Each structure stands twice: as structure tokens, then as C-alpha cells.
Amino acid sequence: MTSETVQPVQTGASRHFVLAAGGTGGHLIPAFALATELEARGHHVALITDERGANIPGKPDSLTAHVLPAGRFGKNPFSWINGARAVMEGRNMALRLFESFEPSAVIGFGGYPALPALLAATSADVPSIVHEQNAVLGRVNRLLASRVEAIATSYSKVERLKPKFRSKTHLVGNPVREDVLALRDEEFPAFTEDGLLRVLVTGGSQGASVLSDVVPDGLSMLPDGLRQRLQVTQQCRSEDVDRVRERYASHNIAAELGTYFEDMHERLADTHLFIGRAGASTIAELTAVGRPGILIPLPIATDDHQAVNTRDVVKAGGARMIRQSSFTPKELAKQIQAMAKNPSSLANAAHGAWNCGYPDAAKNLADLVESMAGIDLMDVVRVGETNPRAAKVANKTQTATRDASQKDVAA
């Protein structure tokens, strides 16, 4: 596995790429970041996703979304037949798209909607890559690991990634939004003995009722000197807003509540302490910016991947992890006091989080993608043995380019 930063292609060659991702922010945020980077390099990009993904906020205006059917495979085996039919229908639709769009590579970001596009890439002999945002290889990426030319990871250690795939595994990081990444070089907001302690609380795209249940009472248990300096911003589910507002009012704690904040990057810029779930995009943004956190992994996350996501940043001192079963007001107050007992301790935690960030993730992933496009990159991102199919595609493209040039000269 490698983490080297590689240089982007300087040939000026334009290529077509297809990105395929499930319809959640965790899959689509890095896909959007990659699309922006590839378009900035002069390439053309299309997106394959589901209905939810086609309408999710944050999609670049220039990125055309194609909605394909994608079956799900749950625990009930009787659902697999319909799931397989939907996948094959999506695969055939993707093949028709490839005929007109002619992609140089297909990049999957996980989620079942990515499956048809990547199966189509195999059928059409188009190079493919999967990007894993979490510290545990997801189901779709595990299924496709043997078929793709490269596996891009966000963590140096990824569970459920078989050792035999190490030669085609590349550590690139998890791309984040440009407005968040722009905060990386800004100083951690000043936190003094008598200044405000600004706390940001989010539970992911759907909110989390457990945060609404625990956080207001936990903050009320802080010592008076700290509690009176709190300024809280909390994302809640719509059905929780009124009762959470009442809890904060009863504790005399200043709090702004909402179901969605469009200016989340601005709020993150002013944040001293984050409290929330441990999704891949959340941790990527906290580490890109350098904000300490108290992380409560979603207990039903597949393969407990949210808990594994916290491993590096907790080890670096940039966050504390509390299992939901132990997430009580008393435990939360205890962990906040430990992190914010003095200005330097919170600043040190912020630096620990910052050190875990991958600010060049979008560029690194774009470099890897370009290496699959048949452009001579002098093997700058290769690890281990060169993948035979990728080499074949590159050789075919280079031969065609050479032959075309010779014909021009002859003419």
C-alpha cells in the first residue's frame, strides 16, 4: 500500500470518466470532489447513481447524473432474485451508456448503485477502480475487489481487504468538499479561559435521536464556569427539535437548532469541539480541518465500520470514542471536561486530528484515475506488479495514438 503523492498528467489529453456511487452523502461527497478535480484537468465526467443520489445537495452543476436500477441483497434469500434482475438491467443500461460516452475508466464509490456500472466495465473491458471511504471494505467493494484494476483506500489499514490485493491497493485518503478543505490552513479558533466554547453536534444526514436525548443533559453537567460559556449548534431530526429546544432552555444554555445547515463549513470553521457520529465523511472533514471530536459510532453500521473509522484519530489524540451503549450525559460531560480542561488541551487535540487528514485526497485519486486512462504516466502510481488488463488497455491506446500520428505524417 502506498501513500505517495503523484504528479498530475501534464499532457493536456482529455478523457471521459464514469463515477458510480450509492445515493448517500458518504458515497457521493468524495465522488463529487473527484468530479470537480477531473473536470478542472479538462476531462469529462458522468455520474451513475440512484434517484436519491441524483437529487442530493452538493452535486456539481456540470455533472450529468444517470439513474440506473440497482437491486439490494438483504438477509432474505427470496429477495435476491429480484435484486439480481435489477443489477443485470442496470448493467445493460450502463453498457449502452458506455457505447456513447466511451469512458476511459469507471470509478466506484460503494453502495449497490455502483455495482451495475462496475460489472458493465468488466464486460466492456474498461479499466475500473473502487474507492473505499471507510476503514472496513464495504460489501460491494469486497465483491468487486478481484475484478478491478485498483483499490483506493482512505486509511492505511483497511479491514476485510485480502492480502492478495495489496499490490493494487493505493492509500489516497477520502476527498472532501472544497469549501471544507479551504479551512485547513486557517488557525484553530481561539479558545481562552473565559471565551466561548463553541460546540457543533450532528448525527449525519438523517440526524440521530440519541444525540438529542443525551447532549443537552450532558452539557448541563459541566462545571458552571464551562457551561456558562457554551454556544451550541445542533442538527436534529424534525420531530426532535421542539423537545431539544426545551431541554436547552431549561438548562439556560445558548443553542441554535436546525434539521439542516447549508453553511455547515462556516459553522465548522468556528467550532472548538464536535460531537456526533463517526461516518467516513465526518471524520475526513474533521481531520482535513483539524477539529477535535467526541464520536459515537452508529451501533448498527455494517461490520461496525464507524467504530473502526475512529481508530486512527483516537490514537492520535484528536478524538474520543464513546460506544452508544455507554453514551450517557454523565460520560459525555466527563469526556468534554477531559478535552477542554484548558485551552492548550483542546488545541493539542485539534492538532492531533489535523495530522490525520489527507488534504490531497482528491488530487491523489485523480492521479490514480488518470493512470488507468491509457496515458503514459511512467508508472508513477503503480504498486507491485503492473495489472495485466490495465497494461493492455494502455498499450492499445498508445499504439492507436502512435499509428494515428504516423498517418498524419504520411499524409
Side-chain angles (χ1 to χ4, degrees):
M1 189 175 292
T2 182
S3 60
E4 294 94 334
T5 299
V6 294
Q7 297 301 314
V9 177
Q10 300 296 330
T11 62
S14 176
R15 297 288 188 268
H16 291 188
F17 297 103
V18 169
L19 313 186
T24 66
H27 296 308
L28 284 166
I29 288 174
F32 293 163
L34 176 62
T36 299
E37 178 65 24
L38 289 173
E39 289 177 347
R41 299 183 183 199
H43 302 301
H44 304 281
V45 185
L47 172 69
I48 287 177
T49 185
D50 56 14
E51 288 283 358
R52 182 172 52 164
N55 297 294
I56 199 168
K59 183 176 75 67
D61 293 338
S62 59
L63 182 61
T64 302
H66 301 267
V67 176
L68 269 61
R72 296 188 64 85
F73 299 87
K75 295 181 180 180
N76 183 359
F78 292 105
S79 69
W80 297 354
I81 296 177
N82 289 335
R85 287 174 179 167
V87 168
M88 294 310 296
E89 181 184 356
R91 169 187 168 276
N92 293 336
M93 291 175 66
L95 285 170
R96 291 195 291 272
L97 172 63
F98 293 174
E99 288 178 0
S100 59
F101 193 68
E102 297 183 348
S104 295
V106 177
I107 304 92
F109 289 85
Y112 284 107
L115 182 56
L118 288 160
L119 291 177
T122 299
S123 298
D125 203 26
V126 176
S128 56
I129 300 170
V130 292
H131 178 270
E132 180 55 61
Q133 299 89 52
N134 293 294
V136 181
L137 199 65
R139 289 175 179 174
V140 170
N141 286 349
R142 289 202 300 269
L143 180 65
L144 296 164
S146 63
R147 296 170 176 259
V148 300
E149 276 62 59
I151 300 169
T153 68
S154 303
Y155 294 86
S156 58
K157 180 180 179 182
V158 178
E159 296 188 3
R160 305 204 68 169
L161 175 59
K162 294 181 179 180
K164 66 180 180 180
F165 298 134
R166 286 176 182 166
S167 64
K168 61 178 179 180
T169 299
H170 308 262
L171 173 60
V172 301
N174 191 11
V176 300
R177 297 170 294 174
E178 287 185 319
D179 54 6
V180 172
L181 188 59
L183 302 174
R184 181 168 176 84
D185 293 330
E186 295 186 7
E187 295 290 336
F188 182 65
F191 175 58
T192 62
E193 295 286 356
D194 56 358
L196 291 174
L197 173 59
R198 289 184 287 268
V199 178
L200 176 62
V201 186
T202 73
S205 59
Q206 301 300 315
S209 288
V210 67
L211 299 176
S212 298
D213 295 337
V214 173
V215 175
D217 292 345
L219 295 177
S220 74
M221 293 182 176
L222 294 173
D224 287 346
L226 193 56
R227 179 173 55 82
Q228 293 171 2
R229 294 189 285 133
L230 288 171
Q231 186 177 78
V232 181
T233 298
Q234 182 162 348
Q235 174 213 16
C236 306
R237 291 179 176 176
S238 57
E239 61 268 27
D240 294 335
V241 170
D242 289 340
R243 70 180 179 87
V244 174
R245 184 175 288 113
E246 290 177 1
R247 295 305 297 164
Y248 278 119
S250 69
H251 297 314
N252 197 28
I253 295 175
E256 179 183 0
L257 309 180
T259 57
Y260 179 75
F261 296 107
E262 292 186 358
D263 59 344
M264 188 62 78
H265 66 287
E266 295 180 4
R267 296 174 186 274
L268 187 60
D270 294 331
T271 294
H272 294 114
L273 179 64
F274 171 87
I275 302 173
R277 292 299 193 195
S281 289
T282 294
I283 293 182
E285 292 187 351
L286 291 177
T287 55
V289 177
R291 294 296 183 270
I294 295 177
L295 304 171
I296 303 90
L298 179 67
I300 61 171
T302 305
D303 298 317
D304 199 25
H305 68 257
Q306 286 204 2
V308 185
N309 287 349
T310 70
R311 180 174 51 203
D312 289 354
V313 69
V314 168
K315 183 177 180 181
R320 306 250 175 151
M321 189 267 277
I322 306 175
R323 289 284 187 179
Q324 185 164 312
S325 58
S326 302
F327 185 53
T328 63
K330 183 178 180 180
E331 180 63 21
L332 176 60
K334 173 184 173 182
Q335 296 298 338
I336 293 175
Q337 288 184 72
M339 295 189 76
K341 58 187 176 182
N342 58 61
S344 62
S345 62
L346 201 58
N348 288 339
H351 187 65
W354 191 90
N355 281 336
C356 294
Y358 289 91
D360 294 326
K363 294 178 181 179
N364 292 341
L365 183 55
D367 292 340
L368 180 61
V369 168
E370 286 183 324
S371 78
M372 298 293 157
I375 301 171
D376 184 6
L377 294 183
M378 298 179 293
D379 292 330
V380 290
V381 295
R382 293 293 182 209
V383 175
E385 298 180 359
T386 301
N387 183 283
R389 192 154 73 91
K392 181 178 72 174
V393 172
N395 289 335
K396 286 169 60 179
T397 304
Q398 291 163 17
T399 299
T401 301
R402 184 177 61 251
D403 292 345
S405 299
Q406 292 172 349
K407 289 180 180 179
D408 290 340
V409 171

